[in-house]
Amino acid sequence: IDPHRDLPIAITVSLLICALLYIAFSIVLVGIIPYYEIPQAAPAEDAFGPHYANIPWALMMVNWGAVIGLFTTLITGLYSQARIYLAMARDDLFFHLFEHVSPTFGTPIYAQWLCSLIAALLACVQVKELSNFLSIGVLLSYTVVCAGVLVLRTEAEVPAAGWSAVVTLAAIAASLCSSYISSESYLAIIGTSVFGVIALLCWCPFFLFKYSRPSTFACPGCPTIPLLGLTINGYLLSQCHWQAWLRLALTSLIILGAYAIRVRHAMKTAGSQRSLNLSLAMQ
């Protein structure tokens, strides 16, 4: 058993199984209700309710499954986010208070309390607005992961990072232009074609780079799969609401400012420590 290799494979297989289940359920849902009549509030409940399929036991299973799914998702998010704060605190990127691990439970107790407090505050926000904000955050993190695979596995880190950003931005621009094609605008068609071609042409430099392969788990099909991820995520990012983009920009500025202050403080502390060590060595 090799956790460095087996754990990523297990996560990937689990995601594939979930994706197949989502696809199968969507096919069943569209088979019951025409896609243009599917309600946004509770599509599954309406499909198995008295208006369409009228299957009470399936309706009960769907409702209970939704409750259990939300509960497990919340617990998983709280569990993983607390560990992220723990790692950040150990790397001097967050307050050292949150690197404390409870000797009784073996968990980062202060980081866990912080995550619980943030979750409680976010519960006061409307679900629609919160989902839009969280969706763009998740898509951006997936985009960074795809770019990180390309950057970390090649010797040309700076060019790979630059081309990754260009691919993502070109995909976003092409998708935004395509949203106006329905109005029979020739400029929209030309813009979509131009930016689409640019996004695909930006793939070419990646096939000229040499990629290393880690001894543990490695993303297969590099660089094709990460490039597909960048392009698809660029398309999905373009579909997010402008308010989500605004909130993301403000949040990113706040986080980057806090990191800059923290890193500057850490550098000053490290510089003072080096000066102290040098003076002690000279004495």
Side-chain angles (χ1 to χ4, degrees):
I1 299 176
D2 184 5
H4 291 89
R5 176 182 177 275
D6 298 338
L7 189 59
I9 293 176
I11 293 174
T12 304
V13 172
S14 300
L15 290 175
L16 289 175
I17 293 174
C18 292
L20 292 175
L21 291 175
Y22 269 110
I23 293 172
F25 184 79
S26 299
I27 294 174
V28 173
L29 185 64
V30 175
I32 297 175
I33 308 177
Y35 73 91
Y36 49 84
E37 295 183 6
I38 295 178
Q40 295 183 1
E45 182 178 1
D46 198 65
F48 295 102
H51 296 290
Y52 289 96
N54 194 20
I55 308 177
W57 63 268
L59 178 62
M60 183 182 64
M61 289 183 61
V62 168
N63 290 333
W64 276 104
V67 173
I68 295 172
L70 289 173
F71 179 76
T72 53
T73 302
L74 179 62
I75 294 297
T76 303
L78 293 176
Y79 181 87
S80 59
Q81 189 64 37
R83 272 67 185 173
I84 293 175
Y85 291 149
L86 171 65
M88 291 170 60
R90 288 177 175 176
D91 292 339
D92 267 341
L93 294 174
F94 206 42
F95 300 105
H96 289 288
L97 172 68
F98 298 104
E99 66 178 328
H100 173 73
V101 177
S102 171
T104 304
F105 303 102
T107 57
I109 183 168
Y110 295 122
Q112 201 70 66
W113 275 109
L114 177 63
C115 293
S116 301
L117 178 62
I118 293 174
L121 293 175
L122 291 177
C124 302
V125 183
Q126 292 185 2
V127 176
K128 185 176 180 180
E129 295 181 0
L130 186 61
S131 63
N132 291 334
F133 179 66
L134 295 179
S135 295
I136 194 171
V138 172
L139 287 173
L140 183 62
S141 65
Y142 288 165
T143 304
V144 172
V145 169
C146 292
V149 172
L150 296 170
V151 172
L152 295 176
R153 288 184 59 178
T154 182
E155 297 178 355
E157 294 92 349
V158 176
W163 284 113
S164 298
V166 174
V167 169
T168 306
L169 293 176
I172 293 175
S175 178
L176 288 175
C177 293
S178 66
S179 62
Y180 295 98
I181 290 180
S182 58
S183 60
E184 298 182 357
S185 174
Y186 292 104
L187 292 177
I189 297 175
I190 294 173
T192 302
S193 304
V194 170
F195 286 112
V197 170
I198 291 175
L200 294 178
L201 288 177
C202 290
W203 284 33
C204 299
F206 290 97
F207 293 98
L208 302 177
F209 299 149
K210 294 182 179 180
Y211 298 92
S212 60
R213 186 174 181 85
S215 57
T216 55
F217 175 81
C219 174
C222 187
T224 305
I225 292 180
L227 286 172
L228 281 172
L230 287 175
T231 307
I232 295 173
N233 286 335
Y235 165 76
L236 294 176
L237 283 169
S238 69
Q239 306 302 310
C240 296
H241 198 274
W242 67 268
Q243 292 181 354
W245 279 99
L246 180 60
R247 291 168 184 152
L248 177 65
L250 294 176
T251 305
S252 300
L253 289 176
I254 294 173
I255 293 174
L256 289 175
Y259 277 170
I261 296 173
R262 183 64 182 172
V263 170
R264 183 179 180 183
H265 175 72
M267 291 177 65
K268 286 185 177 180
T269 304
S272 301
Q273 186 64 34
R274 283 197 298 268
S275 301
L276 178 62
N277 293 337
L278 180 60
S279 63
L280 290 176
M282 293 177 65
Q283 293 176 2

